[in-house]
Amino acid sequence: APAATSPAAAPAAPAASKGESLAELEARLEAAESEEAPEPCRPHSRDDFLRRVHSFSNARLWFAKPAVLSPPQCARHGWRLGAAADTLVCRVCLAEFKCPTSLDDPAALSAAEGLLRTAHQPLCAWLSNPSPESFGSLLLPARFGAAPSLAEGAARALESLRARHAALLRLPSLPALADGLSPALDEAAAAAGLAGGGSALLAALSSRLRDSSDGAAEAEADGGSSEAQRHEAALKLALLGWRPGAALPQPGAAAGGSGQGAEPALLTLE
């Protein structure tokens, strides 16, 4: 007679089928483990959120999805990547969501985005409890170490803009900017809540930089329209992240030379 199996015994791991890759087997094993380990709905737990995002590490199973269906957005609504391609699973209500393969139609994309919120089981806590939107905006530490607070981030961004602007003004000449830049500045102004478009954005930033500049405001005022245009060009370049990419020659550093024949410094993105 076969030996009795203990109810607490772990289920046998599924064997690899013929032609199945190691990555596909790992995905199936992870899905099998998830079925045995339901999790509570804790929308404000960043650790839980990051674990759900980590489940999308197999990019082949969730490939080339638009931003509204990105892994952070899916994880906000309680979804993890399933074992099959284009499939999401919820560990709370055990619901599955199969994403359409074609999302070129705006209506299909909108419907898929809506299913992120509604495809859970009727009594699932994720239906009306998504994680905060801020969880979907991952702040990377970069060179500052820990991710800054909102106030610190704004102060650092303004200081970086001020440094780039001042460095660009020390260049002997600045490149001409294409007219196609205006729509991008208008969009940035709208995102910042400014009604006057790109010109209002530049005026606001110029005012902020002028508050703590060393004589820049006087130079701009006394230099006439040419100097004002130079300041505006430097501000646009600085706003887009550009700064001088080579060391600037110091005035009078070259012995016996006027410095007029020196090549202009290259620009680089910060």
Side-chain angles (χ1 to χ4, degrees), residues 68-253:
V68 295
L69 296 175
S70 65
Q73 291 302 323
C74 295
R76 279 190 57 232
H77 293 277
W79 297 105
R80 289 173 172 265
L81 184 61
D86 300 326
T87 301
L88 302 177
V89 295
C90 173
R91 274 195 180 180
V92 175
C93 66
L94 305 182
E96 289 193 1
F97 164 42
K98 179 70 174 178
C99 183
T101 55
S102 178
L103 296 170
D104 296 333
D105 184 10
L109 178 58
S110 178
E113 182 184 3
L115 285 173
L116 286 184
R117 299 184 294 271
T118 62
H120 293 278
Q121 297 292 343
L123 298 180
C124 183
W126 283 111
L127 281 173
S128 57
N129 256 339
S131 294
E133 290 187 8
S134 58
F135 280 19
S137 302
L138 302 181
L139 295 177
L140 302 181
R143 65 180 184 275
F144 293 116
S149 65
L150 185 59
E152 290 173 333
R156 288 175 179 176
L158 182 61
E159 184 57 36
S160 297
L161 177 65
R162 181 180 294 112
R164 293 193 301 271
H165 181 252
L168 288 166
L169 286 176
R170 294 199 298 271
L171 291 175
S173 61
L174 292 173
L177 301 179
D179 295 336
L181 179 61
S182 296
L185 292 176
D186 291 340
E187 291 181 8
L194 297 176
S199 59
L201 176 64
L202 294 175
L205 290 175
S206 180
S207 177
R208 293 292 299 273
L209 296 179
R210 189 183 302 123
D211 290 341
S212 58
S213 61
D214 299 327
E218 291 78 6
E220 183 176 354
D222 297 338
S225 60
S226 176
E227 188 64 22
Q229 291 174 359
R230 175 179 168 80
H231 275 261
E232 182 176 323
L235 180 56
K236 289 179 179 179
L237 289 168
L239 184 60
L240 294 173
W242 292 100
R243 60 176 174 81
L248 295 177
Q250 298 298 324

